[in-house]
Amino acid sequence: MKQRVITALSLLALLAVVVWRIYTPVFVAVIAIFSAIAANEIMHCAKIKNKFILIVGTVFAFFVPVFANPTVLEPIVSTEKWGEIIGFVPKIVYIIALVFVFFLAMLKDYKNTKFEQVAISFVASIFVPFGFSVLVILRDIAGYKEQFGVYLIFYGLICALGTDVGAQLTGMAIGKHKMSPNISPKKTVEGAVGGIVVGLLFNLAAILLYNKFAVTPIDTKTIIILMCAAPFIEFMSMMGDLSASVLKRNFDVKDFGKIFPGHGGVMDRFDSSMFTLPLTYCLAMFILR
């Protein structure tokens, strides 16, 4: 327990630094590093032995967030300049190139590299970093340095982390009916309901605080949309958590990694966020349009 508390406090300190420097490349650098580590964790859990695929997949996962938005390198590189660079080649070309490289690596070491390993590496190198990239996209979705984008990041994270904490505490207190005993025996129906309620309360508190201190408060119509969508996004966060549990069972591992003592790896902390952040992006696009 002591180790978990120390790690949690360290993560909170890192979060404080990231929020403080959210409009600098420091924010993007942290996301890129987490993206690379998370992708590498999945490939290691899947026992990918092809070192070339491991390295290429990890490097690709690092650079995906860097290419997510023209403003990511401000003020070091201007939005106009970086926008020209990342827009020079369509993003789909990079994905196709990654597929070609993985298949060539499989052909070179076909005795030890199976198609299943290539498929897992591809998913880890694409799905995970694009999930993390949403953090960069949300930051500037309403315009560079617009506070609403930062709120949306916290909205998506609260839907994941707030729901997880609420589900765990509620399940420990009154949980009786198993929700998915074959996948995650500790999860209960009561915990799931409690998690959604707690997540909703956390989001309500966050939006009240935002409206109290923000330069441009969120209007009532948008608040209603956000609060109505929150339970669905929170439910999907639990599906993301269960999906990660299935992967770990398939890989026969307890945690994806060990970078956070007492908490596991990056993917163990952000598995449900890989579902909530893209859904938050879709919701934001609906609101802004």
Side-chain angles (χ1 to χ4, degrees), residues 153-165:
I153 292 175
F154 280 97
Y155 176 85
L157 293 177
I158 288 172
C159 283
L161 304 179
T163 302
D164 183 56
V165 171

Side-chain angles (χ1 to χ4, degrees), residues 15-289:
L15 176 63
V17 172
V18 170
V19 172
W20 174 47
R21 307 299 293 171
I22 197 166
Y23 289 112
T24 71
V26 172
F27 174 70
V28 182
V30 172
I31 293 173
I33 292 169
F34 277 3
S35 172
I37 293 173
N40 189 270
E41 286 173 347
I42 293 177
M43 289 186 282
H44 270 291
C45 287
K47 298 178 175 60
I48 307 299
K49 297 179 181 179
N50 191 309
K51 297 296 183 182
F52 181 78
I53 289 179
L54 268 172
I55 294 171
V56 171
T58 302
V59 172
F60 188 90
F62 175 87
F63 280 103
V64 169
V66 179
F67 280 72
N69 199 321
T71 62
V72 295
L73 297 181
E74 285 278 3
I76 297 175
V77 181
S78 68
T79 299
E80 293 76 14
K81 185 66 177 178
W82 192 242
E84 290 177 5
I85 294 173
I86 66 176
F88 184 73
V89 178
K91 291 182 174 62
I92 189 63
V93 173
Y94 297 113
I95 297 175
I96 294 172
L98 182 68
V99 174
F100 285 164
V101 169
F102 278 1
F103 274 116
L104 289 174
M106 182 182 69
L107 290 174
K108 185 178 180 180
D109 190 26
Y110 65 91
K111 290 183 178 180
N112 300 313
T113 306
K114 307 299 181 184
F115 172 74
E116 291 81 0
Q117 295 177 331
V118 173
I120 291 170
S121 300
F122 179 75
V123 171
S125 304
I126 295 295
F127 174 73
V128 171
F130 273 94
F132 276 102
S133 294
V134 175
L135 289 164
V136 181
I137 296 170
L138 284 176
R139 185 194 70 175
D140 302 327
I141 196 169
Y144 186 57
K145 291 195 175 181
E146 286 293 328
Q147 295 171 319
F148 184 59
V150 178
Y151 165 77
L152 288 171
I153 292 175
F154 280 97
Y155 176 85
L157 293 177
I158 288 172
C159 283
L161 304 179
T163 302
D164 183 56
V165 171
Q168 186 176 11
L169 294 177
T170 307
M172 291 170 59
I174 60 173
K176 293 182 179 179
H177 300 87
K178 301 296 183 182
M179 184 171 71
S180 185
N182 294 327
I183 299 176
S184 187
K186 294 183 179 180
K187 287 182 170 57
T188 63
V189 175
E190 293 83 359
V193 174
I196 290 175
V197 172
V198 171
L200 188 61
L201 292 175
F202 279 1
N203 262 316
L204 182 60
I207 206 166
L208 291 175
L209 286 172
Y210 177 86
N211 272 1
K212 183 176 181 180
F213 296 105
V215 176
T216 306
I218 302 172
D219 61 84
T220 303
K221 181 181 177 181
T222 302
I223 292 175
I224 293 173
I225 294 172
L226 289 166
M227 292 303 104
C228 287
F232 171 73
I233 298 178
E234 289 161 7
F235 172 77
M236 291 306 296
S237 80
M238 290 186 281
M239 296 302 101
D241 191 35
L242 286 174
S243 298
S245 296
V246 170
L247 283 179
K248 286 186 280 189
R249 283 185 175 274
N250 288 339
F251 298 150
D252 195 27
V253 296
K254 182 179 181 293
D255 296 314
F256 281 109
K258 299 179 181 179
I259 191 172
F260 301 135
H263 291 263
V266 173
M267 271 304 297
D268 293 292
R269 294 298 90 207
F270 287 93
D271 49 9
S272 53
S273 299
M274 294 298 99
F275 280 57
T276 63
L277 290 171
L279 288 171
T280 300
Y281 170 76
C282 295
L283 179 63
M285 291 300 292
F286 171 75
I287 291 171
L288 294 173
R289 287 181 178 177

